[in-house]
């Protein structure tokens, strides 16, 4: 494993421990028991929103796994300039998305 891969793995491990973001005026934490690949475990719409913010800010290769059914009406994962390239594991749960609320429905990539 080259030095770049080691640094990337270290950074991802640190980020996987606890990411804090502001959502609707309250502090929302994305805490995960990330697996060996650094997969984020998503249980709520708020956690999904934090994950989306991470992806859309440039961390577009990170991955997640749903841990519950979620109804979501926020921004879409990925943008035209930073398309999502990670793995989104639905884990047999349902993600219900209000596409009309996204503002960028032309970039919706759910298939």
């Amino acid at each position: 494993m080259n030095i770049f891969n080691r640094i990337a793995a270290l950074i991802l491990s640190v980020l996987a421990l606890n990411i804090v973001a502001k959502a609707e005026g309250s502090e929302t934490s994305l805490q995960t028991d990330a697996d060996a690949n650094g997969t984020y475990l998503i249980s709520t719409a708020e956690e999904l929103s934090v994950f989306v913010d991470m992806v859309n800010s440039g961390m577009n290769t990170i991955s997640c796994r749903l841990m519950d059914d979620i109804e979501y009406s926020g921004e879409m994962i990925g943008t035209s300039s930073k398309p999502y390239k990670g793995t989104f594991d639905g884990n047999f749960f349902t993600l219900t998305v209000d596409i009309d609320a996204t503002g960028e429905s032309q970039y919706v990539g759910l298939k």
Side-chain angles (χ1 to χ4, degrees):
M1 181 182 288
N2 68 31
I3 190 71
F4 175 75
N5 288 342
R6 287 181 183 180
I7 291 171
L10 176 62
I11 290 171
L12 188 55
S13 296
V14 169
L15 290 173
L17 294 176
N18 186 12
I19 294 180
V20 178
K22 296 288 182 179
E24 297 179 17
S26 63
E27 193 172 274
T28 300
S29 295
L30 177 55
Q31 295 180 321
T32 181
D33 297 327
D35 62 15
N37 296 319
T39 300
Y40 293 90
L41 307 181
I42 308 292
S43 299
T44 66
E46 291 80 15
E47 289 176 344
L48 181 57
S49 181
V50 172
F51 182 80
V52 168
D53 288 344
M54 292 166 48
V55 170
N56 293 351
S57 69
M59 298 173 59
N60 62 338
T61 60
I62 59 176
S63 299
C64 74
R65 179 178 304 117
L66 291 185
M67 303 306 289
D68 203 351
D69 294 333
I70 296 175
E71 291 186 21
Y72 181 70
S73 62
E75 291 185 46
M76 298 281 43
I77 298 173
T79 65
S80 60
S81 62
K82 296 179 189 129
Y84 181 57
K85 297 179 181 180
T87 300
F88 191 99
D89 178 356
N91 197 25
F92 299 100
F93 289 103
T94 300
L95 174 61
T96 304
V97 178
D98 181 0
I99 293 176
D100 292 332
T102 65
E104 289 192 25
S105 59
Q106 68 192 37
Y107 299 116
V108 173
L110 299 176
K111 296 180 181 178

